[in-house]
Amino acid sequence: MASTRTLFLSCFHGGGAEVSRHLALRPRYPSNPRRPSRSAAVAGEGSEGGGSGGTTGDLEAAKGTAEKEDEEEKVSVFAVTGMTCAACAGSVEKAVKRLPGIHDAAVDVLGGRAQVVFYPAFVSEEKIREAIEDAGFEAKLINEEVREKNILVCRLHIKGMTCTSCTSTVESALQVLPGVQRASVALATEEAEIHYDRRIIAASQLIHAAEETGFEAILITTGEDRSRIDLKLDGLLTERLTMILKSSIQALPGVEDVKVDTELHKITVSYKPDQTGPRDLIEVIESATSGDVTASIYAEAEGREHHRHVEIKRYRQSFLWSLIFTIPVFLTSMVFMYIPVLKDGLEKKVVNMMSIGELLRWILSTPVQFVIGRKFYTGAYKAIRHGSPNMDVLIALGTNTAYFYSVYSVLRAATSENYMSTDFFETSSMLISFILLGKYLEILAKGKTSEAIAKLMDLAPETATLLMYDNEGNVVGEKEIDSRLIQKNDVIKVVPGGKVASDGFVIWGQSHVNESMITGESRPVAKRKGDTVIGGTVNENGVLHVRATFVGSETALAQIVRLVESAQMAKAPVQKFADKISRVFVPLVIVLSLLTWLVWFLAGRFHGYPYSWIPSSMDSFQLALQFGISVMVIACPCALGLATPTAVMVATGVGASQGVLIKGGQALESAQKVDCIVFDKTGTLTVGKPVVVNTRLFKNMVLREFFDYVAAAEDNSEHPLAKAIVEHAKKFHSEENHIWPEARDFISVPGHGVKAKVFDKSVIVGNKSFMLSLSIDIPMEASEILIEEEENAHTCIIVAMDQEVVGIVSVSDPIKPNAHEVISYLKSMNVESIMVTGDNWGTANAIGKEVGIEKIIAEAKPDQKAEKVKELQEKLWRWLVME
């Protein structure tokens, strides 16, 4: 629902080192006094100036405006556990704001925190904590500075992992480090996410610990500064130029750290976005090197994509080369032996009892075993060295056993005149080939799981129009720039149909913005001076000038991507169980393989084989060897460790691209327990775009002429219903861009309708109350139609010309084609469906009847919808307790 997503977004800017500034402190209950009555006389002026917005400026200014000690404000942060949705956040906020002496409060449901600005003379931190606990949640005061965040999240790219044993090894090595609170390693993304205390351990130590396990670790982010940028350097980098670059950038105000990687031609800069930005950095680089070196944004995603393509290419080439050698081995051992002419040729003896076929298979399988399959040797060596046997160990043991036994058998035949050798060269070479094929397909599958994340990032526009001002604040020009080069406080021009390039607020213009990609609300939202906009949303009409406030990784879109990535890193309960099994799986398989070999060897040696299909020429050792290899290789725990994370990644990624944010595998696993779903109406059950469905005329007019008058008046309006009428009127004209008659003396009354002079007629288009306010009589026939259309969930727009009603246009938001089917399917699963909407009961009942929903909550305001969900959850909880 829109209210849930809105509160969800308000908490997005709550990370980093500026928690207090980014938490959106907007009072939900404006009736509560900003200062307690006891201090109203003294501090009334300061309170009045603060307004009710509770914005960033309130927090910054509030601490220094009190004149007496007992009036000084204090900011405290509480860790709140048990919150699951925006309704929980609302409950906590409401409980806190009921206390005397509370200036403001904001709740971050994602971070599990509540930030409270209060007057210590009237309320204590203990009282606030008790109020939160009385609301049904656990609360604990965080004894740290609000502006200092010591627990950071470091992300590493781990190269070389092949199975869950590898992830468990890296995870365990990181988890035992002092200062690490939590470490999670995902095989599907090949990434590690480490929550660590920067006062105890540094990111470089985390990288070293990961590399000590035998894998390559590449830093993605340390989490220390979200304003960090990687720039790609083009040009010849000498040692002298590198020194000049580093010193020039360090001299810029706000630059905190500079790292130059000459091999990758990359420079990494951490900076304070309030003082400098990427454009300043690029200008300094190019001016310091006199143009010899140019700089551009280093796309991290492109780097990862390049690495993935290189890895795919490497496995494909390895598999193809292995096929070149393995196919002849397979043919000589499995196919040609049944062709008499070829069989005779292959069985010719070369040295004693060693045949041509055995020699060929030995020669062909050797490069597969030691050249193409060398990565399994290196992986097995690293795993054994660190005491954590993995899939590579199983592959190396199985193929080496088959290969070296075959070598022993062939050499013995070459030195004997009567020994009949049996080789398994095809076993080792074919196993390596099939495993390489599996690895190739696995990497392709892992690449597809990140496509949805890439689609999310594509929502942001590639370019932006930057406005340039003179010293007097007048616009003197505009320039098209890469949207990633936008800096804080830049003013961006957004044209109709264009995307908003960054989060910010409107300083000029008015329009409607489609925010459905963020909020899920399909209806465009009216924007005018002072309103906030979200990066990636679409400007419907009108030109906007937007001042950027959050750029780069601070934008809401970037944080949604980060949330989805974190969700993909989170392990579902079933995955954790699988990982526990995988840790002991490989050693157990090795033991079982040895036991299998021993049992079959002893059974054959002392009792003979009870099965007729076993060749009499095959001795017990050879048969036991085959069964041992089979158990060892087939039991590789690849699917066990990769199936669940791959499924979670696909689900969270696809869900995000469809506007559904899933917080990890646990949420997906818990979804099977859902027995009630609450649907919003607009944009969820309905299409979300109004269309004209019916027209009634009360005067003898041609329908085309009628809509020409109405469209001429409504064409100047920015209301979504007006646009629906104009779009419908275009159907009466063959030309694509029809020019409507001129509308003079246009007046728009928000929430009611419009007035205009079209040709010689005074045209009034609006709702019933608008007509009555202009003393226009509504005929009985029109009143009956209004009632009838409302029962059908249609919005009626009355059209009057020269103070007389001439027609009614019915506009409706159509039901989605599959809505009824979805509700029916949920009923078959015994899942109850409830619809909550802000529309009137007549419209709500009509929609509910059409889609098959019986339980309806109507006339609910946006900020009440989350409360309704909370009430339903509480009713369910009470019912479970009674049961």
Side-chain angles (χ1 to χ4, degrees):
M1 292 175 289
S3 59
T4 306
R5 295 187 180 98
T6 303
L7 182 58
F8 173 71
L9 282 174
S10 71
C11 297
F12 261 165
H13 298 304
E18 296 181 88
V19 177
S20 64
R21 183 167 67 86
H22 286 178
L23 280 171
L25 290 170
R26 294 188 177 90
R28 291 167 62 96
Y29 310 98
S31 58
N32 290 339
R34 287 175 63 82
R35 292 178 185 264
S37 57
R38 198 177 115 190
S39 60
V42 180
E45 184 179 347
S47 176
E48 189 177 7
S52 61
T55 60
T56 302
D58 293 333
L59 281 180
E60 296 297 323
K63 299 173 186 174
T65 54
E67 296 179 358
K68 295 184 179 180
E69 185 176 349
D70 64 343
E71 291 177 353
E72 288 183 352
E73 293 177 356
K74 184 177 180 181
V75 181
S76 292
V77 178
F78 297 83
V80 183
T81 56
M83 296 190 296
T84 57
C85 63
C88 302
S91 300
V92 172
E93 188 176 329
K94 188 175 181 180
V96 171
K97 287 189 173 181
R98 282 175 176 167
L99 296 172
I102 300 297
H103 173 78
D104 229 329
V107 181
D108 179 0
V109 69
L110 292 178
R113 289 190 174 195
Q115 179 179 314
V116 185
V117 185
F118 64 100
Y119 301 96
F122 296 90
V123 65
S124 65
E125 292 172 334
E126 182 62 24
K127 285 286 185 185
I128 297 171
R129 187 188 64 79
E130 289 176 358
I132 297 173
E133 291 188 341
D134 289 340
F137 305 91
E138 294 182 14
K140 181 182 178 182
L141 179 67
I142 300 177
N143 296 315
E144 63 179 30
E145 292 294 325
V146 175
R147 292 188 176 275
E148 184 179 355
K149 187 179 181 183
N150 291 314
I151 304 302
L152 304 177
V153 180
C154 176
R155 296 177 73 91
L156 303 176
H157 176 57
I158 310 295
K159 295 172 64 176
M161 296 188 298
T162 56
C163 64
T164 49
S165 296
C166 304
T167 61
S168 298
T169 301
V170 179
E171 206 169 88
S172 301
L174 293 170
Q175 194 70 57
V176 297
L177 294 174
V180 173
Q181 291 191 343
R182 185 172 75 252
S184 178
V185 181
L187 177 61
T189 58
E190 294 184 325
E191 287 187 8
E193 185 178 86
I194 309 107
H195 295 250
Y196 69 104
D197 192 331
R198 64 177 175 183
R199 296 170 298 182
I200 302 174
I201 192 170
S204 58
Q205 294 172 278
L206 299 175
I207 296 171
H208 179 71
E211 290 182 336
E212 278 293 301
T213 60
F215 303 98
E216 183 182 352
I218 302 172
L219 179 66
I220 298 174
T221 175
T222 63
E224 292 180 0
D225 189 357
R226 288 163 62 183
S227 295
R228 180 174 79 80
I229 190 169
D230 294 329
L231 297 176
K232 183 180 179 181
L233 304 176
D234 293 316
L236 182 61
L237 278 181
T238 62
E239 188 175 345
R240 175 176 165 276
L241 276 180
T242 304
M243 287 181 58
I244 292 174
L245 278 177
K246 198 167 183 179
S247 58
S248 299
I249 293 173
Q250 285 175 334
L252 278 175
V255 172
E256 297 179 339
D257 185 42
V258 181
K259 293 178 181 176
V260 181
D261 189 330
T262 54
E263 290 185 6
L264 295 176
H265 277 240
K266 182 175 76 170
I267 185 167
T268 303
V269 184
S270 296
Y271 61 95
K272 293 179 180 178
D274 292 327
Q275 298 181 34
T276 190
R279 285 203 315 281
D280 297 335
L281 298 172
I282 290 174
E283 287 176 8
V284 167
I285 289 171
E286 294 180 352
S287 62
T289 59
S290 301
D292 294 337
V293 176
T294 58
S296 58
I297 298 290
Y298 187 92
E300 188 68 40
E302 291 179 8
R304 289 193 212 175
E305 191 69 15
H306 174 71
H307 167 71
R308 189 174 71 85
H309 283 302
V310 169
E311 195 172 17
I312 290 173
K313 185 178 179 181
R314 186 173 70 247
Y315 272 106
R316 184 173 63 244
Q317 288 179 341
S318 296
F319 171 64
L320 292 176
W321 274 110
S322 69
L323 280 185
I324 292 173
F325 292 99
T326 301
I327 290 175
V329 173
F330 170 75
L331 292 174
T332 56
S333 62
M334 300 289 185
V335 179
F336 293 165
M337 299 307 293
Y338 296 97
I339 302 174
V341 177
L342 296 176
K343 180 182 179 182
D344 294 339
L346 292 172
E347 287 185 348
K348 283 185 179 179
K349 307 303 178 185
V350 181
V351 180
N352 289 333
M353 296 299 291
M354 184 177 71
S355 66
I356 293 176
E358 292 167 345
L359 181 60
L360 281 174
R361 288 192 289 274
W362 184 9
I363 294 171
L364 291 169
S365 64
T366 300
V368 176
Q369 184 72 34
F370 298 107
V371 180
I372 298 171
R374 66 184 181 277
K375 69 177 299 295
F376 300 119
Y377 285 95
T378 56
Y381 168 73
K382 291 176 182 177
I384 293 172
R385 190 183 67 177
H386 293 93
S388 56
N390 60 3
M391 185 189 78
D392 290 336
V393 174
L394 292 179
I395 295 169
L397 278 175
T399 57
N400 275 317
T401 303
Y403 179 82
F404 284 109
Y405 172 77
S406 301
V407 171
Y408 157 77
S409 181
V410 170
L411 290 177
R412 184 176 173 184
T415 57
S416 173
E417 295 181 357
N418 54 11
Y419 178 77
M420 294 292 295
S421 67
T422 304
D423 67 273
F424 300 105
F425 287 120
E426 78 284 350
T427 301
S428 64
S429 57
M430 288 180 68
L431 277 173
I432 290 175
S433 297
F434 278 122
I435 289 167
L436 287 173
L437 174 61
K439 283 289 175 186
Y440 172 63
L441 297 175
E442 177 187 311
I443 292 169
L444 286 177
K446 285 196 291 186
K448 291 180 180 178
T449 58
S450 59
E451 287 179 0
I453 295 290
K455 287 181 181 178
L456 274 179
M457 295 301 295
D458 289 342
L459 290 174
E462 293 183 359
T463 60
T465 303
L466 175 69
L467 295 179
M468 293 173 285
Y469 291 80
D470 58 17
N471 294 331
E472 297 178 358
N474 300 316
V475 178
V476 294
E478 55 185 53
K479 178 183 178 183
E480 189 175 276
I481 62 169
D482 189 321
S483 61
R484 295 171 296 180
L485 297 178
I486 296 175
Q487 300 179 180
K488 278 192 176 180
N489 297 319
D490 280 348
V491 178
I492 305 300
K493 179 182 177 181
V494 188
V495 298
K499 289 184 177 181
V500 181
S502 70
D503 295 1
F505 62 92
V506 179
I507 64 171
W508 181 87
Q510 60 180 12
S511 179
H512 281 77
V513 176
N514 186 348
E515 297 181 341
S516 59
M517 51 79 68
I518 295 290
T519 65
E521 188 62 55
S522 57
R523 286 186 179 178
V525 181
K527 299 291 181 181
R528 52 181 55 87
K529 186 177 180 179
D531 291 340
T532 58
V533 291
I534 304 168
T537 54
V538 180
N539 182 25
E540 294 281 330
N541 45 55
V543 178
L544 296 176
H545 291 181
V546 176
R547 187 175 296 280
T549 53
F550 297 105
V551 296
S553 60
E554 295 180 336
T555 62
L557 180 60
Q559 295 191 53
I560 288 176
V561 172
R562 192 176 299 114
L563 176 69
V564 175
E565 288 176 339
S566 297
Q568 291 179 341
M569 292 290 296
K571 293 184 179 180
V574 67
Q575 185 182 342
K576 293 177 182 177
F577 178 69
D579 287 351
K580 288 179 181 178
I581 295 175
S582 295
R583 286 171 190 163
V584 297
F585 192 81
V586 174
L588 185 63
V589 166
I590 294 173
V591 172
L592 286 176
S593 300
L594 293 174
L595 287 175
T596 302
W597 177 85
L598 184 61
V599 168
W600 276 91
F601 176 74
L602 294 176
R605 179 69 69 181
F606 297 107
H607 301 288
Y609 296 112
Y611 306 111
S612 59
W613 49 266
I614 298 175
S616 57
S617 61
M618 184 177 288
D619 62 27
S620 58
F621 181 83
Q622 294 170 348
L623 188 62
L625 182 65
Q626 277 196 332
F627 278 98
I629 293 171
S630 300
V631 172
M632 191 177 297
V633 176
I634 292 172
C636 290
C638 305
L640 185 68
L642 198 59
T644 301
T646 303
V648 170
M649 284 190 67
V650 172
T652 52
V654 173
S657 66
Q658 298 296 323
V660 180
L661 296 176
I662 303 170
K663 290 188 67 179
Q666 186 164 1
L668 284 171
E669 194 170 330
S670 302
Q672 62 173 327
K673 302 175 184 177
V674 171
D675 56 7
C676 178
I677 297 178
V678 181
F679 291 92
D680 190 22
K681 181 185 76 70
T682 306
T684 304
L685 295 173
T686 64
V687 174
K689 185 177 181 180
V691 295
V692 174
V693 293
N694 198 7
T695 306
R696 302 285 186 93
L697 297 181
F698 305 116
K699 296 292 179 181
N700 290 325
M701 291 182 69
V702 177
L703 196 59
R704 173 175 171 173
E705 181 187 357
F706 169 78
F707 271 107
D708 281 351
Y709 278 101
V710 178
E714 292 281 41
D715 192 41
N716 296 288
S717 174
E718 295 180 348
H719 197 281
L721 296 181
K723 292 195 168 297
I725 293 175
V726 173
E727 286 297 318
H728 184 74
K730 289 179 181 178
K731 296 178 181 178
F732 294 93
H733 298 274
S734 57
E735 60 269 28
E736 186 175 347
N737 297 315
H738 180 72
I739 300 174
W740 306 110
E742 182 186 359
R744 293 175 283 112
D745 303 329
F746 176 80
I747 298 174
S748 176
V749 182
H752 293 279
V754 299
K755 291 174 61 179
K757 197 83 171 177
V758 181
F759 293 134
D760 57 342
K761 293 182 182 292
S762 173
V763 180
I764 302 170
V765 185
N767 55 26
K768 183 178 179 180
S769 62
F770 189 43
M771 297 297 158
L772 295 175
S773 67
L774 297 174
S775 302
I776 298 174
D777 293 331
I778 299 176
M780 182 64 69
E781 183 184 0
S783 297
E784 291 175 355
I785 291 173
L786 290 175
I787 295 171
E788 179 186 338
E789 291 296 310
E790 184 178 301
E791 289 176 352
N792 293 326
H794 297 163
T795 301
C796 292
I797 299 170
I798 304 172
V799 179
M801 296 183 186
D802 295 333
Q803 294 296 108
E804 186 179 4
V805 174
V806 297
I808 292 177
V809 180
S810 298
V811 180
S812 175
D813 186 0
I815 302 292
K816 286 184 176 179
N818 59 348
H820 187 273
E821 182 183 348
V822 170
I823 301 301
S824 299
Y825 184 71
L826 290 174
K827 280 184 179 179
S828 68
M829 297 172 62
N830 294 322
V831 177
E832 184 182 8
S833 298
I834 301 174
M835 184 179 75
V836 59
T837 176
D839 282 343
N840 58 64
W841 280 99
T843 301
N845 285 325
I847 296 292
K849 185 178 180 181
E850 191 169 347
V851 299
I853 296 179
E854 298 174 358
K855 195 167 184 180
I856 296 168
I857 301 172
E859 297 179 357
K861 295 179 180 178
D863 58 348
Q864 295 175 337
K865 292 180 180 179
E867 294 289 343
K868 298 292 183 182
V869 175
K870 182 68 175 177
E871 289 173 10
L872 290 169
Q873 290 174 334
E874 289 175 351
K875 286 180 183 178
L876 177 62
W877 176 251
R878 285 196 295 269
W879 179 79
L880 289 173
V881 171
M882 291 175 65
E883 285 291 313

